[in-house]
Amino acid sequence: MSYSQEVYSRAAEMLERRRERANLEAQDRFDEISEKLPELDIIQRKLAQIGLNISKVFLYSTDKQADIEQLMKESLDLQEQKKAILIKNGYGENALDVQFTCPACKDTGFIGSRRCKCHNELLKDIERSNLAKIAPIEDCTFETFDTRYYPEQVMENGISPRDKAEKIKNSCSKYAVNFGRSSKNIMFMGGTGLGKTHLSLAIANVVINKGCSVVYGTAQNILSDLQNENFGRDNNLRYYERAVLNCDLLILDDLGTEFKSNYTVACLYNIINSRLSAKLPTIISTNFTLDELEDKYDQRITSRITGEYSQLVLVGNDIRYIK
């Protein structure tokens, strides 16, 4: 599972700010308490000197082990004195310690070479925040996908649009829970306002919680940004080719509504083909039928969609209009 460099960089900056804040707050507490209890400042200076003396031992001592043991004993004695003074004056014994947001990694984000749980949660939060800027991800969950807006009348195939929507919802929920690199590709189809975007974002919600990277956007916006990137017009871009091609899950919304050109067709083919080759799942939604897509794009694109994507077709009336 991987995130964009922007997400990793932002997480690193936030961790650094946490460390800085924790150290500044600890220094403020020390200044405040030592002003009332000057003996603590004396002890702190002695501890600092012991640290310097230990460094000198490695350079000049003829009996390093004995000297270090003696200095460590002095350090422990001073620390016990410091705790006793704090407790005697109504403070906790750790009142002068740096209070990190995450004591496990001390806000470094790593425990040894392993990424700390707090770091993973931070990456998820940043990924979710980025997506929330362009889509109502907090509102689009499986719990808020209400199938009561779909007709109950049974269709020619013996199933009602409501039952069909319920089956699709359950299928998508299982897909999200079990999401991984080997997950299938999905094509949501159906008219405007039938919940295609809602289900896509509901999947994204769960997938992000699993620690996966998600890129979501309309075909128009993604293809437009990739074209601008390709021609060097890279100011204020939201989408970059590397992220689109390499994210754990790509959600390409409203396929068919983008401005069609030789470039957009070639770019769309590259996205679909590259992610299929890399076995990276993609979710596409469209208001078009397969026949309409075949008229709009060349066969290289439609054959890959029909052959490699599971088609989930929603039927009914525009739910936004009904609401």
Side-chain angles (χ1 to χ4, degrees):
M1 307 302 179
S2 62
Y3 295 95
S4 68
Q5 189 56 49
E6 175 195 0
V7 172
Y8 285 122
S9 297
R10 189 174 167 197
E13 291 171 3
M14 293 175 73
L15 287 167
E16 183 178 2
R17 286 200 296 272
R18 286 180 181 180
R19 293 195 301 275
E20 289 177 353
R21 183 174 64 249
N23 283 300
L24 286 172
E25 289 174 351
Q27 185 60 51
D28 288 343
R29 282 196 307 278
F30 177 79
D31 292 343
E32 179 185 341
I33 296 175
S34 62
E35 186 175 349
K36 299 174 183 177
L37 306 172
E39 57 268 43
L40 288 176
D41 190 42
I42 297 172
I43 290 175
Q44 201 67 20
R45 292 175 187 274
K46 288 181 179 179
L47 286 170
Q49 185 60 50
I50 288 174
L52 291 174
N53 290 341
I54 288 176
S55 299
K56 292 178 182 178
V57 165
F58 285 104
L59 294 174
Y60 307 113
S61 176
T62 56
D63 191 350
K64 292 182 176 62
Q65 183 174 350
D67 289 345
I68 288 176
E69 286 178 356
Q70 178 60 34
L71 289 169
M72 292 301 295
K73 181 179 182 303
E74 292 176 14
S75 175
L76 290 172
D77 288 343
L78 288 169
Q79 289 177 41
E80 289 302 317
Q81 290 178 39
K82 182 170 68 172
K83 290 179 182 179
I85 292 170
L86 287 168
I87 293 171
K88 179 181 177 181
N89 289 275
Y91 296 99
E93 65 177 36
N94 299 318
L96 298 180
D97 292 352
V98 180
Q99 304 297 322
F100 293 107
T101 302
C102 178
C105 70
K106 297 183 178 179
D107 292 344
T108 63
F110 291 91
I111 300 175
S113 60
R114 178 175 57 85
R115 201 155 54 211
C116 182
K117 182 180 178 181
C118 76
H119 195 168
N120 287 328
E121 291 303 315
L122 191 56
L123 291 168
K124 294 178 191 179
D125 289 344
I126 294 170
E127 190 78 350
R128 180 178 300 281
S129 176
N130 286 342
L131 187 46
K133 292 174 183 176
I134 57 173
I137 186 168
E138 299 300 335
D139 299 326
C140 295
T141 66
F142 290 113
E143 290 74 22
T144 59
F145 186 78
D146 194 346
T147 57
R148 290 177 301 172
Y149 290 101
Y150 294 84
E152 290 184 274
Q153 293 80 11
V154 174
M155 299 181 293
E156 293 180 358
N157 60 4
I159 186 172
S160 70
R162 182 176 298 180
D163 288 340
K164 187 173 187 181
E166 189 68 37
K167 289 179 182 295
I168 290 175
K169 169 187 171 180
N170 292 337
S171 174
C172 290
S173 179
K174 291 178 182 178
Y175 174 89
V177 169
N178 298 314
F179 181 84
R181 195 177 182 90
S182 60
S183 293
K184 63 185 179 183
N185 303 290
I186 293 175
M187 167 74 90
F188 286 114
M189 306 181 74
T192 301
L194 289 179
K196 300 184 297 296
T197 298
H198 188 127
L199 286 172
S200 297
L201 292 175
I203 291 172
N205 254 309
V206 178
V207 168
I208 288 174
N209 284 340
K210 290 171 67 70
C212 302
S213 58
V214 177
V215 171
Y216 165 88
T218 63
Q220 172 63 37
N221 290 338
I222 289 178
L223 295 175
S224 176
D225 272 11
L226 296 194
Q227 182 173 12
N228 286 329
E229 180 188 11
N230 184 61
F231 287 105
R233 301 188 293 267
D234 55 359
N235 291 329
N236 301 316
L237 296 183
R238 184 178 295 278
Y239 304 101
Y240 292 89
E241 183 177 63
R242 182 175 180 179
V244 169
L245 296 184
N246 297 312
C247 61
D248 296 319
L249 174 64
L250 172 65
I251 300 176
L252 194 64
D253 208 3
D254 282 336
L255 179 66
T257 59
E258 74 281 357
F259 175 77
K260 182 184 175 183
S261 67
N262 290 335
Y263 177 84
T264 56
V265 172
C267 185
L268 178 61
Y269 173 78
N270 181 52
I271 291 171
I272 292 173
N273 192 57
S274 295
R275 292 186 62 82
L276 284 174
S277 298
K279 299 189 185 317
L280 290 170
T282 303
I283 294 175
I284 295 176
S285 72
T286 183
N287 299 335
F288 287 67
T289 65
L290 285 176
D291 289 340
E292 289 169 334
L293 289 175
E294 287 181 359
D295 290 338
K296 189 173 181 67
Y297 304 108
D298 62 43
Q299 191 178 9
R300 294 186 308 163
I301 292 176
T302 54
S303 66
R304 278 164 175 75
I305 291 176
T306 55
E308 301 289 346
Y309 284 68
S310 296
Q311 296 159 32
L312 302 178
V313 184
L314 291 161
V315 181
N317 301 312
D318 190 331
I319 293 172
R320 286 171 293 195
Y321 178 77
I322 296 172
K323 288 182 178 179

